[in-house]
Amino acid sequence: LSRARLGVDLAATFNLVGTLVKYLSLAPLAPAAVAIGYGESPAPFLLATAIGFFGAWTIERLSYGKKHVGMREGFLVVSLTWLLAAAIGALPYWLTADAQFRNPIDCYFEAMSGFTTTGASIVTDVEGLPHGLAIWRQLTQWLGGMGIIVLALAVLPRLRVGGRQLLESELPGPEIEEMTLRIRDTAQRLWVLYIALTALMVAVLSVLAWTGLDSAMTFYDAVAHALTTMPTGGFSTRARSLEEFGPASQWAIAFFMTVAGANFALMYRAFFRRHPRVFVRDEEFRLYLSLLALGSAVLVVELWTEGVLRGEAAIRHSVVNAVSTMTTTGYASTDFNDWPLFAAIVLVALMFVGGSAGSTTGSIKVVRHLLLGRILGRELDQTVHPEAVARIHLNARAVDERILRAVASFVLLYVGVFALGAFLLALDAARVDSELRLLDAVAASATTLGNIGPAFGFAGPMGSFEPFSDVSKVVMIVLMWVGRLEIIPVAVLFTRNYWRT
Amino acid sequence: MKIVVIGAGQVGSTVVEALHDEHHMTVIDLDESRLTALAERFDVRVLAGNGASKRTLEEAGVRKAGLLIACTSRDEINIIASMFSKRISPQTKAVVRTTDEEYLEIWHERELDVDLVVSSERETALAVSRLIGVPAARQTDVFADGQVQIVEFDIDSGDRLRERAGKPLTEAALQAARQGERQHVIGLPLRQAQIPPNSKVASIIRGDTIVVPRGDEAIESGDRIIIIGSPEAAQAWSRIIAPTEGRVEDVVIYGAGHTGLATARVLLEQGIRVRIVEANRQQADKAAEELPGARVFHASGMDAEFIERERINKAQAAVFAMRDDAKNHYAATLVKLHGVPFTIAIVHDAHSVEVFERAGIDVALNPRLITAEEIVRFAHDPRTQQVAMLEGDRFEILDITVRPESKLLGRPFRDLPQTGALIGAIVREGRAVFPHGDDMLLPGDRVIVFTESKRVPIVEQAL
């Protein structure tokens, strides 16, 4: 494609990406402080910041001058920023002389899994990691949860990007309600609420630790798990995820996962504007809770009748793992690899549900299921009643037909990408003669595309993604990246008309 | 009282007709020929000019008027006129007619500084819902927050009964229907008839004559009667008069214009299933968008195939609210032929009301007459809370607070003089009481009085 016919302003794109990544590369300074506090070497983090800052600054300088980024460039900015963010995230792993991070693809996988809040890990011995590196893993999830560009929009005064495209590409879920606020105000509100909820969770878990209600919980664990619960990430500092924690902590974490899967804009209105009834009236929220309850109930019945678990333990493990899977967090309170196949299939089904729009969750999301159900219902109705005219309503307001088309195409794309991913993983497993079963390949594709975390088999909740081949890891890196940005911003880059004038 | 009316159209002239006897009226309109016609019929002052002009309003004497009625067909003119009136003379009450329900909402939110906003669409919708709530009624008015209803019924002969039931009734079924409660009421002298409790027969209209309902008179088939009573009593009357009709739960509305949508909204609020048929695509889309609870069809609804396929004929009532009277007439006739038992047409030309009812449409409603009625209610004696007109303006129903010096206080009802007026209900401390012979009026009572229009001044004086 010749330069003259190129319809995308690359200089402006790189300039903005450079700026964003430059500021993001300051993030490793936080784990550097933690490393110093635990008497570890802060060198890998300081070096990562230096390399990232200098590299991004170079990109910014080289493309200096043009500032305007339009809607079209927005897709490329978001896609590239997330690729480079994962590169910054990978640097501390690569620069630490830890045996688990010899392979650069592993480092990049771990960083992408972090920023996209997936929680799939190639680490085989989590508790063997230095504290600085362990906190860096948690922090990448916390930064990626509400969105790194949303954060930049909230705090950088000079960032005046064109259009709402950037924000909308990064915020999960279809934008059904017009955002009436200024972009900056929206971004700030989301982050304020996010920080407040994270702080609250640290406090709750700390209280459990200090009052002795949970002897396994420490302040360090409280911070580490708050950092990966609110973004529905799922990285843990414990080898066996939540298993070692007491029931009180598990219930508390289940509660906060449920909160993280709710719509943040709705929560803002409920808490800060004092309209708690918005929850009761919101159709998506009601369906979200119903599905969580349904998924948990099915698991309780299955586990109880199969004699796997009984009593409070059956209820707790069902709820924690159903909530963790549906909200795309990916913690496990027990090794559900050992559960009956029926329960495993229920968990895979929950992987396709997701949380609410405007939450930190991945996957398809409840509102899309709701709207798709209504679209299908309307199609069937119009087959019988050709003259019927119906608009689809959500919360008693008619939804624009363009949004409905976008929802239908998204679900189709999502299922298509998932199937392609599962196919490639199964194919690669056959090539390298891995012990991956078909259900494991399906779960691995669903878990990475949906930004959930654990799969089944060796990549189960207590296992690791390390045994996958490099090719499979690259496939899953792409799935995580595409899944976090909800496919479309990346997919448009592969259309010819995107690049043309 | 001096009253200034802006607009000499159907609403304006109906208002003038009802009020000109008791008040000094000035009518403003741009159209001189309309004014001339009005001045020939009634003794009113007319003024050619723009009602939204401050000078015209001053010339019409708004400063000394007690009431300004802005009832042209254009909302903006009405609102501007009332705004100027309030500026010139804040003590002059202002009534605004509107065709847009939004102005009504704004007024309820107290953002519009006028004393009454009347929406033709809303009033029409309420009238339709009152009719559907009491299936056999021709017209219903509610008083005292719905505790008292005044209902007008046609006593059908057997043939009419058969027709309204929708499906052919066998002779036996018809007999049974007639036999039920009906035989204890219809055709018997009133003192022997088993009239539902908490209700009174206010008037019997037989052809062109009015029968005063004394104890020895009887209700006959073909009569039209007016009942005052509690809502339960109104339902009971409805069952007696039309035993084959149950509660209406399924209504079809033709036309999704302002009136159609307003009607659909009111019916949906009552839990009635509503289907809307609209021939215009955009209007149909708008209806589907605004009314999540309604089912909307984009169709003319004029072909038998559609009516059969979508089971339009299974509806218990159909409302015709299209813009064109002729279309409403045709569609109503067609739907009735297919078996919908109860049809209500919204008729835009007041003269057509009779044509529709003669042609077999059960009820024809004219939005302008309904609007005028609402305005007249407000214009009456300030003590009067609500006024309804029946049979054109032959009868009025007054809601009056009894003066402490009234001579009627403290006397049992059976000893009160017969003045041709009937006290149908007493509202005492906010609750409706249906009086018997032993009851008596107490100071502070509000009464619902039914009387002929020409007797209104006498009744108001006595109370």
Side-chain angles (χ1 to χ4, degrees):
Chain A
L1 207 61
S2 75
R3 229 198 161 123
R5 283 172 59 211
L6 186 68
V8 181
D9 189 342
L10 287 180
T13 304
F14 285 127
N15 187 257
L16 180 56
V17 172
T19 310
L20 290 168
V21 176
K22 186 176 79 181
Y23 287 108
L24 183 73
S25 61
L26 299 176
L29 294 179
V34 174
I36 294 168
Y38 280 96
E40 299 160 4
S41 162
F45 302 106
L46 298 177
L47 205 54
T49 295
I51 295 171
F53 196 87
F54 183 73
W57 179 78
T58 311
I59 295 174
E60 197 185 10
R61 291 300 298 189
L62 286 178
S63 56
Y64 194 72
K66 299 199 87 182
K67 282 266 170 190
H68 183 72
V69 172
M71 175 188 144
R72 203 196 278 203
E73 284 77 22
F75 297 109
L76 193 57
V77 169
V78 174
S79 303
L80 284 178
T81 302
W82 279 77
L83 282 180
L84 288 178
I88 300 281
L91 280 173
Y93 302 128
W94 175 238
L95 295 168
T96 307
D98 191 293
Q100 298 184 61
F101 291 111
R102 284 282 149 73
N103 181 350
I105 290 177
D106 282 354
C107 297
Y108 196 72
F109 183 99
E110 194 74 7
M112 187 59 98
S113 173
F115 278 115
T116 59
T117 74
T118 304
S121 181
I122 54 83
V123 174
T124 44
D125 176 18
V126 180
E127 286 170 22
L129 291 176
H131 286 93
L133 212 53
I135 279 294
W136 174 237
R137 273 175 93 231
Q138 309 299 98
L139 191 67
T140 53
Q141 292 206 318
W142 192 72
L143 289 172
M146 195 40 81
I148 45 191
I149 293 173
V150 180
L151 176 61
L153 289 169
V155 297
L156 296 185
R158 277 177 44 245
L159 203 64
R160 289 266 184 274
V161 287
R164 291 165 182 264
Q165 197 57 44
L166 281 174
L167 187 66
E168 289 179 10
S169 302
E170 209 185 44
L171 282 180
E175 264 64 46
I176 290 163
E177 279 180 46
E178 288 271 322
M179 276 189 287
T180 47
L181 289 168
R182 288 166 59 217
I183 300 171
R184 196 174 153 76
D185 292 337
T186 309
Q188 278 177 348
R189 287 179 175 193
L190 291 175
W191 266 91
V192 164
L193 181 60
Y194 187 56
I195 292 169
L197 286 171
T198 309
L200 180 67
M201 185 171 172
V202 172
V204 168
L205 291 183
S206 304
V207 167
L208 291 178
W210 290 329
T211 53
L213 280 169
D214 184 356
S215 52
M217 181 62 70
T218 65
F219 179 69
Y220 173 77
D221 286 322
V223 173
H225 286 85
L227 286 178
T228 57
T229 301
M230 287 324 295
T232 66
F235 274 157
S236 178
T237 44
R238 299 301 187 101
R240 294 189 65 79
S241 198
L242 304 183
E243 196 175 63
E244 293 166 47
F245 294 128
S249 300
Q250 293 183 355
W251 280 116
I253 290 170
F255 171 77
F256 279 101
M257 287 193 287
T258 310
V259 170
N263 186 334
F264 274 65
L266 206 62
M267 283 195 275
Y268 188 89
R269 256 178 287 157
F271 300 150
F272 290 92
R273 296 262 172 271
R274 308 269 166 88
H275 292 305
R277 259 184 295 160
V278 292
F279 278 122
V280 191
R281 281 196 239 114
D282 190 69
E283 291 181 315
E284 186 192 19
F285 185 73
R286 292 201 304 239
L287 182 61
Y288 167 67
L289 286 192
S290 313
L291 288 172
L292 280 178
L294 180 71
S296 308
V298 170
L299 287 180
V300 172
V301 170
E302 165 68 7
L303 296 179
W304 203 311
T305 52
E306 290 289 316
V308 182
L309 290 163
R310 278 190 183 280
E312 190 266 349
I315 298 171
R316 176 162 41 87
H317 289 305
S318 297
V319 170
V320 169
N321 292 298
V323 170
S324 166
T325 307
M326 200 180 106
T327 61
T328 76
T329 308
Y331 289 138
S333 62
T334 181
D335 192 352
F336 50 71
N337 244 341
D338 303 335
W339 285 2
L341 188 62
F342 182 91
I345 291 170
V346 170
L347 285 177
V348 173
L350 286 176
M351 286 182 179
F352 288 90
V353 178
S356 311
S359 69
T360 58
T361 63
S363 195
I364 293 175
K365 290 177 190 70
V366 173
V367 73
R368 289 203 180 92
H369 288 287
L370 186 67
L371 290 175
L372 193 69
R374 288 185 183 169
I375 293 170
L376 293 177
R378 180 171 70 169
E379 283 306 311
L380 294 179
D381 182 55
Q382 284 177 338
T383 316
V384 187
H385 306 282
E387 288 94 353
V389 180
R391 290 292 301 272
I392 285 168
H393 290 82
L394 184 72
N395 296 326
R397 283 172 67 180
V399 181
D400 194 84
E401 294 296 325
R402 279 180 58 198
I403 291 171
L404 294 176
R405 266 209 309 282
V407 165
S409 343
F410 175 83
V411 176
L412 212 63
L413 262 175
Y414 190 90
V415 173
V417 172
F418 151 73
L420 184 67
F423 171 73
L424 290 177
L425 291 178
L427 207 63
D428 188 54
R431 181 181 67 88
V432 299
D433 208 12
S434 139
E435 51 175 300
L436 198 74
R437 295 170 302 164
L438 193 60
L439 179 70
D440 301 345
V442 164
S445 178
T447 202
T448 45
L449 182 63
N451 300 147
I452 298 149
F456 292 100
F458 57 76
M462 309 304 171
S464 165
F465 280 63
E466 198 272 331
F468 277 106
S469 77
D470 283 355
V471 175
S472 288
K473 282 175 188 163
V474 170
V475 168
M476 286 189 282
I477 286 168
V478 172
L479 288 176
M480 290 190 277
W481 174 54
V482 168
R484 174 61 181 87
L485 300 181
E486 300 207 311
I487 305 177
I488 290 170
V490 179
V492 292
L493 304 183
F494 293 92
T495 59
R496 191 184 290 212
N497 280 342
Y498 176 80
W499 298 98
R500 289 193 167 170
T501 47
Chain B
M1 181 168 58
K2 283 193 162 69
I3 299 178
V4 176
V5 178
I6 300 162
Q10 276 186 36
V11 176
S13 44
T14 313
V15 167
V16 168
E17 188 179 349
L19 297 176
H20 74 280
D21 268 353
E22 295 168 59
H23 305 282
H24 297 278
M25 306 191 78
T26 304
V27 184
I28 305 173
D29 200 300
L30 281 171
D31 186 342
E32 288 196 39
S33 60
R34 274 178 168 183
L35 290 175
T36 317
L38 202 67
E40 272 169 21
R41 285 174 63 201
F42 309 111
D43 178 22
V44 294
R45 180 184 163 215
V46 293
L47 185 63
N50 178 4
S53 142
K54 198 176 163 204
R55 277 178 233 303
T56 313
L57 286 173
E58 278 176 333
E59 202 187 327
V62 166
R63 222 176 274 282
K64 286 184 181 159
L67 177 65
L68 174 108
I69 299 171
C71 58
T72 71
S73 54
R74 291 190 49 199
D75 293 353
E76 290 76 14
I77 301 257
N78 295 344
I79 286 174
I80 292 171
S82 67
M83 291 292 156
F84 276 139
S85 162
K86 280 282 170 194
R87 270 206 87 103
I88 299 168
S89 148
Q91 78 282 356
T92 303
K93 296 215 149 93
V95 174
V96 167
R97 170 202 177 190
T98 167
T99 49
D100 188 344
E101 278 194 71
E102 194 188 328
Y103 287 123
L104 192 65
E105 283 164 28
I106 293 172
W107 178 63
H108 283 305
E109 291 160 13
R110 297 175 190 279
E111 298 284 329
L112 212 55
D113 176 28
V114 296
D115 299 283
L116 179 70
V117 172
V118 179
S119 151
S120 309
E121 283 70 25
R122 180 81 185 161
E123 293 302 328
T124 310
L126 289 173
V128 170
S129 91
R130 290 193 295 258
L131 284 169
I132 285 174
V134 186
R138 290 190 73 256
Q139 191 181 342
T140 311
D141 285 288
V142 293
F143 292 84
D145 301 325
Q147 295 182 71
V148 180
Q149 287 199 350
I150 302 206
V151 196
E152 199 177 344
F153 290 107
D154 277 335
I155 310 300
D156 294 340
S157 61
D159 291 341
R160 221 24 228 293
L161 197 68
R162 196 195 314 254
E163 189 186 314
R164 287 177 69 158
K167 47 190 177 289
L169 280 176
T170 60
E171 214 41 54
L174 195 62
Q175 208 62 36
R178 280 216 206 99
Q179 299 267 305
E181 298 171 79
R182 193 178 156 98
Q183 66 165 10
H184 300 296
V185 178
I186 315 287
L188 289 177
L190 286 175
R191 70 167 64 87
Q192 289 172 29
Q194 293 180 10
I195 287 170
N198 290 336
S199 72
K200 276 184 183 169
V201 180
S203 185
I204 302 173
I205 301 150
R206 191 166 293 154
D208 285 334
T209 60
I210 297 168
V211 179
V212 181
R214 296 182 203 286
D216 48 354
E217 294 289 347
I219 301 169
E220 306 288 351
S221 277
D223 283 353
R224 175 172 290 177
I225 60 168
I226 296 166
I227 303 295
I228 301 185
S230 66
E232 297 75 30
Q235 296 283 344
W237 273 100
S238 176
R239 274 197 304 277
I240 291 168
I241 290 160
T244 47
E245 289 174 42
R247 182 184 136 76
V248 174
E249 277 159 356
D250 182 6
V251 176
V252 172
I253 298 173
Y254 274 62
H258 288 302
T259 311
L261 288 183
T263 307
R265 207 167 286 136
V266 170
L267 295 180
L268 284 168
E269 280 167 13
Q270 296 177 0
I272 295 171
R273 182 176 170 228
V274 173
R275 288 182 282 169
I276 299 173
V277 180
E278 168 61 54
N280 177 297
R281 179 83 217 188
Q282 266 125 23
Q283 299 261 65
D285 279 341
K286 191 166 164 265
E289 179 176 338
E290 288 184 10
L291 301 170
R295 204 126 163 60
V296 183
F297 296 98
H298 170 225
S300 76
M302 304 280 194
D303 58 308
E305 199 248 328
F306 172 79
I307 291 173
E308 291 292 329
R309 180 157 46 82
E310 292 300 341
R311 310 281 188 268
I312 299 293
N313 50 350
K314 299 285 187 213
Q316 288 156 297
V319 181
F320 300 86
M322 293 178 282
R323 201 165 291 164
D324 184 349
D325 280 356
K327 274 190 182 168
N328 281 334
H329 191 179
Y330 177 76
T333 313
L334 182 73
V335 165
K336 200 152 182 67
L337 274 179
H338 277 84
V340 175
F342 190 44
T343 48
I344 302 170
I346 311 298
V347 180
H348 300 284
D349 182 354
H351 303 293
S352 312
V353 170
E354 209 186 335
V355 177
F356 271 73
E357 295 197 340
R358 286 224 177 151
I361 312 304
D362 295 286
V363 183
L365 293 174
N366 179 278
R368 293 185 178 83
L369 289 181
I370 294 171
T371 310
E373 183 182 310
E374 194 62 26
I375 294 172
V376 170
R377 275 177 195 210
F378 186 81
H380 263 276
D381 188 305
R383 286 185 301 147
T384 312
Q385 305 233 356
Q386 211 172 10
V387 167
M389 290 185 285
L390 288 174
E391 287 291 294
D393 55 359
R394 215 155 142 193
F395 298 107
E396 286 191 15
I397 296 136
L398 306 172
D399 182 344
I400 291 187
T401 305
V402 186
R403 278 179 296 146
E405 65 270 24
S406 170
K407 289 179 185 147
L408 303 179
L409 288 177
R411 287 165 66 183
F413 267 73
R414 69 164 65 84
D415 298 343
L416 291 186
Q418 294 284 339
T419 53
L422 176 84
I423 297 179
I426 302 169
V427 184
R428 192 170 285 163
E429 284 159 7
R431 298 190 58 180
V433 181
F434 297 89
H436 299 282
D438 307 331
D439 290 320
M440 57 180 87
L441 286 176
L442 300 175
D445 280 355
R446 249 170 76 199
V447 290
I448 314 287
V449 186
F450 175 89
T451 181
E452 280 181 80
S453 300
K454 56 188 178 198
R455 290 182 187 271
V456 168
I458 307 170
V459 172
E460 288 188 345
Q461 212 164 22
L463 289 167

